[in-house]
Structure formats: structure tokens, C-alpha cells
Amino acid sequence: MALAPHPNPVVAGSENAYTPTSGGSPNKYADAPGYINQGDILEKLGSVLTIRGDTFTIRAYGDARDASGKIIAQARCEATIQRVPEYMDAEEDEYPEAAYAQLRSELNKRYGRKFRLIAFRWLNQSE
């Protein structure tokens, strides 16, 4: 969502002009109280962010049938899985920031990051 331009934009060449050197804002009101920038948002979210940390839910269903094809048992389950930054092979002492090309462990090259089982439960038929 793009923000509307400020009603009093800085005019290039004026005494209040700001020349960005590394992606800064040309707005003289930037960083004033009430002005929201990326840093403000990330400061609040930072404690819950994780690099390459994905959490997802898997639901599975299975049934058992007799020789005639009649269902004699059913099961449903749900697992919450989290992918974490660490690689599978902890023995190699490879940092989570390491690029694929820098990996030494064949296990890490083949399987990548670790997955953790966060929660597991059996489901009722209505779920």
C-alpha cells in the first residue's frame, strides 16, 4: 500500500532539501514523531522474526479396508511443523547464514534446514 505524498514536500534545491545517500527519504518530516518508517515496524516485530523460520500445518487421513473394500478403521491427524535456520548436520558447525555453495556437509546439501515437530494431535471425524 503506497502512502499519499506529504502535503508539504521538500523541493530539491531548497534550504531544507535532503539528498539521500543510501535509500533515505527526501521528506524533511521523516523520523519526526508520528512518521512511520520501516525501522519502526521492524523494531516491534523483531523479537518474533526469524530467518528462514516457517511454520505450517499438515493434516493427514488414512483408512484401513477389509478384503471387500469396506472401511473398517479411519484416522485423522494434524501436525504443526516449523522449519528452523539450523542445518540438519550440526557436526559440521555450519552457520545458518551459510549459502548453499559454502556448505561442506553432504547431509546439509541434500536436506537443508531442520524441521521441528511443534504440535501433534489426533482429529475427530468432524474436524
Side-chain angles (χ1 to χ4, degrees):
M1 178 173 111
L3 297 174
H6 195 279
N8 297 318
V10 175
V11 178
S14 73
E15 63 187 47
N16 294 324
Y18 170 74
T19 305
T21 56
S22 61
S25 172
N27 189 333
K28 73 177 183 178
Y29 300 103
D31 298 322
Y35 188 95
I36 298 174
N37 61 30
Q38 290 175 347
D40 297 327
I41 295 169
L42 289 174
E43 183 178 327
K44 300 296 183 196
L45 295 174
S47 63
V48 295
L49 293 177
T50 175
I51 58 167
R52 294 190 181 243
D54 303 320
T55 303
F56 50 95
T57 301
I58 299 171
R59 284 190 169 193
Y61 164 83
D63 59 37
R65 298 172 186 255
D66 64 13
S68 66
K70 179 182 172 195
I71 296 175
I72 56 174
Q74 296 178 335
R76 291 170 180 80
C77 65
E78 177 182 272
T80 302
I81 308 294
Q82 182 180 32
R83 182 176 69 169
V84 294
E86 292 84 28
Y87 283 103
M88 293 291 293
D89 186 0
E91 297 294 321
E92 270 302 320
D93 202 25
E94 293 179 318
Y95 296 102
E97 302 86 20
Y100 180 83
Q102 297 172 328
L103 298 178
R104 297 179 303 276
S105 166
E106 287 303 316
L107 183 68
N108 290 341
K109 287 179 183 179
R110 182 173 219 176
Y111 296 110
R113 312 290 176 163
K114 285 184 181 180
F115 288 87
R116 290 193 181 133
L117 177 64
I118 303 300
F120 179 87
R121 68 185 184 116
W122 293 103
L123 300 173
N124 296 322
Q125 187 172 0
S126 62
E127 294 181 278

